[in-house]
Amino acid sequence: GAGVSQSPRYKVAKRGQDVALRCDPISGHVSLFWYQQALGQGPEFLTYFQNEAQLDKSGLPSDRFFAERPEGSVSTLKIQRTQQEDSAVYLCASRDSGRAVETQYFGPGTRLLVL
Amino acid sequence: DQQVKQNSPSLSVQEGRISILNCDYTNSMFDYFLWYKKYPAEGPTFLISISSIKDKNEDGRFTVFLNKSAKHLSLHIVPSQPGDSAVYFCAASPLDFGNEKLTFGTGTRLTIIP
């Protein structure tokens, strides 16, 4: 079956521009996570949804970052007024249930470069 | 503060030999540990996991060992194959409902030499 998909795969933005990154989770998956991976680092947690409810947004680095999942399926991560330090790969993952013992399945990521 | 540490950024192993990747953690609230494998331009792919009630989990060529008292886990791959060349991330999570985010290490790049 289809895995997690993300679009666009690559995005170049000018500093100050707003960007929107899309995640299509595996169909029926309840939980959805966003992670940020800087060069040479491991993925770092940004935010977590269970269905349409955003249960944890403690990893969002500033109020310029906003995520939504209005119908409990597709999610969008929006970054306003992008800065150079926002350059990273943004990974989305989905999971079948709300239990931690279920595996998180990752998408290929969106590579964002802010000039 | 890095709660999950992979102190070896890279490792080279001869094909057919055993690869051992190590991971240390500091947060005693972690109950569930995972290894992910990542190829360039792809997302991380789940490899194997272990919960804190076990000290070993095996799946084919892959075995994960957990030493809770030392807060240390390791991934053994035997025999190593060229397709195992990738970056390996250790990750950890508590098992509290609503707090299931994964905390990752910085990764170890494994190169299998033919």
Side-chain angles (χ1 to χ4, degrees):
Chain A
V4 178
S5 61
Q6 293 186 244
S7 61
R9 291 293 311 274
Y10 302 93
K11 176 71 179 177
V12 178
K14 291 184 179 177
R15 189 161 57 94
Q17 187 179 349
D18 296 349
V19 298
L21 312 179
R22 177 186 168 108
C23 172
D24 285 81
I26 294 172
S27 178
H29 275 195
V30 168
S31 301
L32 186 146
F33 300 79
W34 283 99
Y35 293 86
Q36 179 191 59
Q37 186 177 13
L39 192 64
Q41 301 296 313
E44 290 195 5
F45 170 79
L46 292 177
T47 187
Y48 160 53
F49 291 86
Q50 186 145 323
N51 297 304
E52 68 278 3
Q54 190 174 19
L55 297 189
D56 187 346
K57 54 181 182 179
S58 62
L60 296 176
S62 77
D63 58 8
R64 297 186 295 104
F65 287 71
F66 172 76
E68 59 183 5
R69 195 186 184 198
E71 296 178 0
S73 177
V74 170
S75 177
T76 304
L77 176 67
K78 297 179 179 178
I79 309 173
Q80 297 177 322
R81 305 181 304 280
T82 52
Q83 303 294 315
Q84 285 186 322
E85 62 262 28
D86 299 336
S87 296
V89 175
Y90 290 85
L91 294 162
C92 175
S94 71
R95 193 177 68 200
D96 190 13
S97 75
R99 296 191 307 136
V101 293
E102 296 289 337
T103 300
Q104 291 187 27
Y105 295 92
F106 282 82
T110 294
R111 184 176 295 275
L112 173 66
L113 177 62
V114 181
L115 302 177
Chain B
D1 178 33
Q2 196 77 24
Q3 296 187 61
V4 178
K5 300 176 186 178
Q6 293 177 257
N7 292 319
S8 298
S10 63
L11 176 68
S12 294
V13 174
Q14 207 78 31
E15 182 179 358
R17 299 286 185 99
I18 183 170
S19 295
I20 300 176
L21 294 92
N22 293 303
C23 177
D24 297 291
Y25 63 96
T26 57
N27 189 339
S28 57
M29 299 300 291
F30 289 148
D31 290 315
Y32 188 57
F33 305 88
L34 309 91
W35 285 93
Y36 279 84
K37 176 179 179 180
K38 188 179 183 305
Y39 293 119
E42 294 184 12
T45 303
F46 170 74
L47 201 54
I48 194 169
S49 64
I50 188 167
S51 74
S52 59
I53 61 173
K54 294 186 174 182
D55 55 17
K56 177 182 174 181
N57 188 26
E58 192 171 352
D59 183 3
R61 296 185 299 113
F62 303 92
T63 302
V64 56
F65 295 92
L66 175 62
N67 183 333
K68 274 198 76 176
S69 60
K71 294 191 174 68
H72 177 83
L73 63 155
S74 60
L75 174 68
H76 292 209
I77 306 173
V78 55
S80 301
Q81 298 175 353
D84 297 331
S85 294
V87 177
Y88 289 78
F89 290 99
C90 171
S93 170
L95 282 176
D96 302 330
F97 178 75
N99 186 25
E100 298 95 339
K101 63 188 179 189
L102 292 176
T103 300
F104 284 86
T106 52
T108 296
R109 181 177 300 278
L110 176 65
T111 302
I112 305 302
I113 305 164

